[in-house]
Amino acid sequence: MIELTELEHDTISELINIGVGRAASSLSEMVEQPVELTVPAISFVERFSDSELANAPTEVVSAVSQSFHGPFTGEAMLVFPEVRSLELVRSLLKVDVPLDTLTDLEQEALMEVGNIILNACLGSISNVLGEPINCSMPTFRKRETRALLDDDETEGSEGTNPVLMILHVQFMLRQNDIDGYVLFVMDLESIQMLRELVRRFLANSLE
Amino acid sequence: MTKLQSEKKSPSPSFDLNRDSDAADLFAALLDTADTGLIALAPDGTICHWNQWMQSRSGKDADQVMGKALQDVFPDTKLGRVSLAIEDCLKFGMPAVISPSLNQGALPLRPLPQFAASFDRMEQSIRVHPIKTKRNGTLCSLIIRDVTLAVQRDRLLRQQAAELADLVTQTKRSEGRTRAILQNTVDAILVASDDGSIEPLNARAQELCGPTGDPELRNIIRFLLPDSEHTPLTPPPPNRLLTDLGTGVIEVLASTLSGRNVPLEVAISHFSADQRYHYIITLRDISQRKRHEKEIQRTMQELERSNAELEQFAYAASHDLQEPLRMVSSYTQLLARRYEGQLDDTADEFIHYAVDGTQRMQRMIDDLLTLSRVGRHGKPFNPVPLDSLFDAIVTNFKRAGSAPEGNIIREGILPTVMGDASQLLLLFQNLVSNGLKYSDPTDGQVRIFASETPDSYRIFVADNGIGIDPQYHETIFEVFKRLHGYGDYAGTGIGLAICKKIVDRHGGSIDVTSEPGEGSTFCVELPKELPIVAAGESM
Amino acid sequence: MPNTKSVLLVDDSKFARLLVKAFISSNFADWQIDEAEDANKALEMVEAKTYDYMLVDFNMPGMDGLELGEKLRGRFPEAVIALLTANIQQEIQNKAERLGLDFIPKPPTEDKIRDYIASREATR
């Protein structure tokens, strides 16, 4: 089990919040409308089936994922139920299309949104902790929730059960709020490394 | 690299990738063949590669841009997202996707000529990659794809999707309206399919065929439908069919469980859908109409009876009056012949008045008899050529010597009409005689001409006589209406009444246009198609 | 440092408070630094004590940093109040400026915090 002190948990939350805040301002500037992004909750689960997301196993979700390597390694994912992803993209693009799947261009737009958020989260962690992280280009996938993590290309998670850090993210746009998730899928070793780095950083900063 | 070298020992290659200059040449040339834009940025953000594609699409040569920051190459463009992505890439090694939808025309690049009309800038999909090098740290590459065509297709797709959605909404709306119209129609509407099913389509149909309606009604409808061979038929009770089948009008009697008898007119039309034949059955409640029909029928019968009685009376009266009158007339005439000049002057005058009176009375009784006969002794209708009819009239007048030569003028050809020849002769003879009577005896003229409407013929009899004040135009056709004292013009006051009655019997109309001193024109309008009433009466 | 100043840190993240507190105390040794984890707590605390510096996080559950900043500005027209946030959207920046609040982008670094306070001290 992942054991984090309250302060460690809080530190990770704050790093993520900083990243998400930056992402929100980038997005807001791009779409020329206010975009607020908050992270109401962060949780750690050892099995995907324990997550809130897995409550609707057959729901189709749109996901943008980027793998990352560095002191800790894994895959970061922005996940929305497909309907929400439509709402999100269309309210960002300010168009109303009566189509119930994403067009190719909308899919690419969602990929960019995911890229901005995931980069910001990873960048914030990397920047504050002073450890460089390499990221891959984002990829898009559309699946049923239960198959979300199947045959993913996350390196380092092979053979070991991944541990998930799940962020519940909430977009607050002009018209509506759209809820999604950011998943960090790592193996136990990586998450322990992350905790170690946080501890070291806290120790250094606070003497 | 050493491995590669050993494998390619001989012959010594003319092109050696291990020679830096050769490699650089090759890679630069390869990058120039790419159908995408390629930009490489040094760690300080300055441009260190700019391929051929970029040159042609931006209009800027490589040597113009080398060593400059992107922002300095495009000083007029707000590079917001692109700049941030480059910064993140160089600083943190973060890759980026820059989509055309969220960043329209991120770089100021020209679209291909075929898109120039609808796009100011090329639509671009950009990837920003960190490139880690051993010697120079992290570089940044921008790969730019032209996705203008995809954007154009996407726009088209959206537009079509929106149009389709509009169409669906419209269809739904009009469907709703149609349903409302159907529901609120007073007629009951049902649809029957060729499998024998009958489905009420609206509330009224539900009422008639529903649980409180007429249990027999579906069966009656099925019986009325053509070739419903799938289901065995039981003929409905005869009292339920109000009309004979085959007359084109179907009326049935619905007897609802709530105890009401409703006469219904049935209309059946059909349409095909889903490769099946369907019938639309419309049932109209004709209770009201039936009541009116009955009312009219009763009134008609009443009227016919009283008319017949009246004619009978007129005939009997004039016929029975004739006998004693003939006696009075004979003896007064005898008195006049034998004793004229033998008594005193006053006696002669008295005898003259008596003779004249009896003659007038005789004519009136004759005319009254004629009038009553128009209705009673009509002959069947036949084609009557009016030209020959007027020949006969002219001959009659000539024989009687009652008209100067050439004062009955026919203009054009007169039509052949359907009617009772002897009555038509009487009609026009009366009109001509009338015209001559009220004209100057020496140069009085009667003109006869005809015109045609789609449904009727109009025959005009025009004179140049004294004319009729418009206030009398209606009343002159009534019995015993005289406009003048007896001494001025001869006549019984029945002639035009006879004309009117004849025209009526022929389903036509008669009227007059006239001004005093301007002559009168009588117009007789006779229908081309005989009305059923007139034809029936003439049988 | 010539004299002792008092600072109030308002942030729901304990980590952020610790970080900022560490940066301040390592540069301004004798300063008194108090912490509040939300806006209500902060409003309670300013009842009892007056602060020279108030550094307020924008994103907090309940009342957000702008609202709190507005209330604090109303009560303490002379105090230095800064909004700390990762969200640098123009709209939020403009609002902060209108309320007379300074703006410090997150993440807080030692340089950022030190330079900011030093510059404010110099203009006093």
Side-chain angles (χ1 to χ4, degrees):
Chain A
M1 185 59 204
I2 320 119
E3 285 160 19
L4 289 172
T5 65
E6 196 198 329
L7 185 58
E8 288 161 0
H9 190 283
D10 183 74
T11 301
I12 294 174
S13 298
E14 180 65 6
L15 295 182
I16 299 283
N17 264 308
I18 290 169
V20 158
R22 267 196 66 195
S25 38
S26 302
L27 282 172
S28 159
E29 197 176 318
M30 285 163 63
V31 299
E32 290 168 340
Q33 58 170 311
V35 176
E36 267 193 58
L37 248 175
T38 58
V39 184
I42 296 185
S43 58
F44 292 84
V45 295
E46 271 178 281
R47 274 181 302 274
F48 180 61
S49 53
D50 294 341
S51 70
E52 202 185 351
L53 250 176
N55 287 344
T58 57
E59 184 173 39
V60 174
V61 291
S62 306
V64 177
S65 79
Q66 282 180 261
S67 58
F68 53 89
H69 327 250
F72 44 91
T73 289
E75 190 174 23
M77 240 184 253
L78 176 69
V79 184
F80 290 100
E82 197 187 11
V83 247
R84 297 281 97 76
S85 69
L86 289 169
E87 279 175 29
L88 175 66
V89 170
R90 285 169 190 166
S91 58
L92 287 177
L93 297 180
K94 296 180 208 114
V95 290
D96 186 20
V97 191
L99 290 175
D100 51 11
T101 51
L102 289 169
T103 67
D104 288 355
L105 290 180
E106 287 172 338
Q107 191 173 306
E108 187 171 334
L110 186 65
M111 225 156 87
E112 180 170 2
V113 171
N115 179 224
I116 288 168
I117 292 170
L118 298 178
N119 272 5
C121 291
L122 289 164
S124 167
I125 294 170
S126 156
N127 182 22
V128 173
L129 300 184
E131 295 283 344
I133 300 172
N134 292 326
C135 299
S136 72
M137 269 289 164
T139 55
F140 178 82
R141 57 179 81 156
K142 182 177 134 180
R143 310 223 167 123
E144 286 190 355
T145 307
R146 59 180 168 198
L148 185 61
L149 299 187
D150 289 356
D151 97 270
D152 62 47
E153 294 142 30
T154 314
E155 288 170 43
S157 67
E158 286 155 5
T160 53
N161 278 330
V163 178
L164 284 91
M165 176 164 81
I166 298 181
L167 324 177
H168 176 189
V169 292
Q170 200 171 38
F171 276 85
M172 283 175 269
L173 302 170
R174 197 163 278 160
Q175 277 130 13
N176 45 355
D177 292 358
I178 296 164
D179 288 61
Y181 297 91
V182 171
L183 270 52
F184 287 87
V185 187
M186 290 178 274
D187 59 14
L188 198 57
E189 205 180 307
S190 286
I191 210 145
Q192 275 163 350
M193 189 61 191
L194 173 63
R195 184 180 57 189
E196 185 50 40
L197 288 172
V198 168
R199 279 182 187 161
R200 237 184 267 165
F201 170 74
L202 286 171
N204 283 342
S205 305
L206 310 175
E207 313 265 62
Chain B
M1 284 296 165
T2 44
K3 200 177 164 196
L4 187 82
Q5 213 170 19
S6 62
E7 278 167 7
K8 293 195 171 180
K9 209 173 272 172
S10 62
S12 99
S14 60
F15 186 90
D16 186 356
L17 272 181
N18 285 315
R19 278 206 300 270
D20 279 354
S21 57
D22 280 0
D25 279 354
L26 173 67
F27 292 139
L30 279 177
L31 296 181
D32 278 345
T33 63
D35 192 26
T36 54
L38 293 166
I39 305 173
L41 299 169
D44 64 354
T46 58
I47 295 165
C48 58
H49 189 80
W50 185 264
N51 77 343
Q52 184 60 44
W53 190 95
M54 280 306 300
Q55 298 187 35
S56 67
R57 302 305 180 83
S58 67
K60 292 187 190 298
D61 289 341
D63 48 10
Q64 277 179 279
V65 304
M66 286 299 200
K68 288 187 187 167
L70 207 54
Q71 186 58 67
D72 298 329
V73 175
F74 301 120
D76 301 329
T77 308
K78 194 175 154 241
L79 293 176
R81 162 76 173 140
V82 178
S83 293
L84 283 176
I86 291 171
E87 201 182 306
D88 277 359
C89 179
L90 291 172
K91 226 193 250 172
F92 305 115
M94 292 292 181
V97 169
I98 298 175
S99 69
S101 316
L102 287 169
N103 310 273
Q104 265 178 26
L107 298 175
L109 303 180
R110 284 197 289 260
L112 290 172
Q114 64 264 39
F115 300 117
S118 19
F119 292 87
D120 287 340
R121 280 189 191 181
M122 176 204 296
E123 295 286 343
Q124 308 145 38
S125 172
I126 303 176
R127 298 290 180 274
V128 180
H129 286 272
I131 300 174
K132 306 240 155 111
T133 63
K134 284 197 188 88
R135 268 186 290 168
N136 300 312
T138 303
L139 307 183
C140 169
S141 79
L142 269 68
I143 301 175
I144 301 125
R145 280 187 304 124
D146 181 351
V147 292
T148 315
L149 179 63
V151 170
Q152 194 183 46
R153 286 193 180 141
D154 193 78
R155 281 185 193 170
L156 197 67
L157 178 71
R158 279 157 200 254
Q159 191 192 329
Q160 285 172 345
E163 280 168 10
L164 200 66
D166 273 0
L167 207 64
V168 169
T169 337
Q170 271 175 23
T171 312
K172 275 189 186 145
R173 201 176 296 146
S174 89
E175 220 171 66
R177 214 185 53 183
T178 312
R179 192 168 303 130
I181 292 170
L182 197 65
Q183 276 308 324
N184 293 301
T185 304
V186 287
D187 293 349
I189 300 171
L190 303 97
V191 64
S193 305
D194 52 10
D195 61 2
S197 67
I198 293 176
E199 183 197 345
L201 284 191
N202 64 357
R204 182 72 180 122
Q206 193 62 52
E207 208 176 297
L208 283 170
C209 292
T212 60
D214 182 351
E216 185 69 26
L217 196 54
R218 279 172 199 262
N219 188 37
I220 298 174
I221 290 169
R222 223 167 263 142
F223 180 76
L224 292 171
L225 291 176
D227 53 54
S228 41
E229 51 205 29
H230 298 279
T231 41
L233 286 179
T234 37
N239 62 340
R240 294 305 202 84
L241 296 177
L242 299 180
T243 45
D244 289 337
L245 297 178
T247 55
V249 184
I250 310 168
E251 290 171 6
V252 302
L253 190 68
S255 181
T256 65
L257 284 182
S258 54
R260 228 159 59 85
N261 281 345
V262 189
L264 298 167
E265 186 183 277
V266 185
I268 298 173
S269 56
H270 60 77
F271 67 99
S272 309
D274 311 323
Q275 289 163 343
R276 280 173 59 189
Y277 222 59
H278 302 271
Y279 295 98
I280 304 168
I281 297 112
T282 312
L283 304 175
R284 171 164 295 178
D285 186 335
I286 49 167
S287 315
Q288 190 96 6
R289 197 175 80 194
K290 280 282 164 200
R291 267 201 300 282
H292 285 167
E293 274 176 14
K294 238 177 228 165
E295 194 89 354
I296 288 168
Q297 219 171 357
R298 230 191 47 231
T299 315
M300 285 285 284
Q301 276 168 359
E302 188 67 24
L303 213 61
E304 266 167 34
R305 200 179 48 76
S306 80
N307 261 351
E309 268 174 14
L310 208 63
E311 268 172 18
Q312 183 59 38
F313 169 76
Y315 178 77
S318 43
H319 188 265
D320 293 356
L321 282 172
Q322 235 174 1
E323 216 23 61
L325 180 64
R326 194 169 292 139
M327 193 181 283
V328 174
S329 171
S330 307
Y331 282 102
T332 45
Q333 280 173 34
L334 197 64
L335 267 180
R337 271 207 306 275
R338 289 241 186 118
Y339 298 100
E340 189 160 24
Q342 294 180 32
L343 304 173
D344 61 9
D345 284 356
T346 317
D348 280 357
E349 195 181 331
F350 288 172
I351 290 168
H352 174 73
Y353 283 139
V355 170
D356 187 52
T358 53
Q359 279 172 349
R360 255 167 58 205
M361 192 158 178
Q362 184 70 52
R363 278 201 301 277
M364 283 170 83
I365 287 172
D366 287 347
D367 282 354
L368 271 177
L369 265 172
T370 312
L371 186 69
S372 72
R373 279 193 182 117
V374 169
R376 292 161 50 86
H377 300 291
K379 295 195 186 76
F381 283 11
N382 285 307
V384 180
L386 292 181
D387 269 318
S388 356
L389 187 101
F390 275 94
D391 287 346
I393 291 171
V394 172
T395 313
N396 285 351
F397 277 106
K398 220 180 268 172
R399 192 181 299 144
S402 56
E405 191 74 28
N407 60 353
I408 300 174
I409 301 155
R410 272 180 276 166
E411 294 173 354
I413 296 165
L414 299 177
T416 294
V417 299
M418 285 298 289
D420 177 336
S422 53
Q423 288 188 352
L424 289 177
L425 183 83
L426 186 59
L427 161 68
F428 289 110
Q429 193 159 288
N430 273 346
L431 288 176
V432 171
S433 148
N434 234 30
L436 293 172
K437 182 162 62 187
Y438 295 101
S439 301
D440 187 320
T442 51
D443 65 351
Q445 260 188 3
V446 174
R447 291 182 303 117
I448 295 126
F449 52 96
S451 73
E452 192 176 340
T453 74
D455 303 321
S456 63
Y457 296 108
R458 284 180 179 158
I459 299 97
F460 299 89
V461 178
D463 62 60
N464 58 351
I466 56 167
I468 303 161
D469 193 301
Q471 61 168 310
Y472 301 116
H473 287 185
E474 297 281 328
T475 50
I476 52 171
F477 297 106
E478 291 169 20
V479 185
F480 298 130
K481 281 286 168 185
R482 290 183 55 89
L483 303 184
H484 307 276
Y486 185 72
D488 300 336
Y489 298 96
T492 58
I494 300 174
L496 284 176
I498 292 172
C499 292
K500 172 96 166 76
K501 194 156 185 191
I502 292 172
V503 171
D504 283 348
R505 192 185 158 230
H506 284 74
S509 63
I510 183 168
D511 57 35
V512 66
T513 47
S514 178
E515 286 296 326
E518 303 280 316
S520 311
T521 302
F522 285 85
C523 171
V524 173
E525 183 161 11
L526 297 173
K528 292 177 177 174
E529 296 266 332
L530 283 178
I532 295 161
V533 192
E537 200 187 300
S538 72
M539 292 287 161
Chain C
M1 291 295 122
N3 51 7
T4 298
K5 293 285 171 68
S6 56
V7 182
L8 176 61
L9 304 176
V10 190
D11 199 318
D12 58 316
S13 165
K14 189 179 176 190
F15 161 72
R17 296 197 306 267
L18 281 176
L19 209 59
V20 176
K21 190 174 178 181
F23 296 151
I24 297 177
S25 32
S26 63
N27 287 286
F28 307 92
D30 299 330
W31 285 25
Q32 286 183 5
I33 304 169
D34 291 342
E35 301 171 36
E37 71 269 14
D38 62 30
N40 287 333
K41 184 80 195 301
L43 289 173
E44 238 171 69
M45 289 174 70
V46 297
E47 289 291 328
K49 190 171 170 181
T50 307
Y51 293 93
D52 301 303
Y53 285 87
M54 287 176 261
L55 305 186
V56 179
D57 182 30
F58 170 65
N59 249 328
M60 291 188 293
M63 195 190 296
D64 72 26
L66 273 178
E67 256 179 279
L68 176 63
E70 185 172 10
K71 285 191 202 297
L72 293 176
R73 175 51 76 219
R75 294 192 52 157
F76 306 105
E78 292 301 311
V80 175
I81 306 173
L83 195 66
L84 260 164
T85 175
N87 197 326
I88 50 165
Q89 282 178 53
Q90 204 57 45
E91 203 173 289
I92 296 169
Q93 281 200 49
N94 291 345
K95 274 186 195 161
E97 209 170 295
R98 270 202 302 279
L99 296 173
L101 309 180
D102 293 332
F103 198 85
I104 306 174
K106 275 192 175 183
T109 61
E110 181 150 11
D111 293 352
K112 255 189 241 172
I113 299 295
R114 187 192 55 222
D115 292 352
Y116 170 71
I117 293 179
S119 74
R120 296 301 306 205
E121 281 296 288
T123 57
R124 283 199 150 218

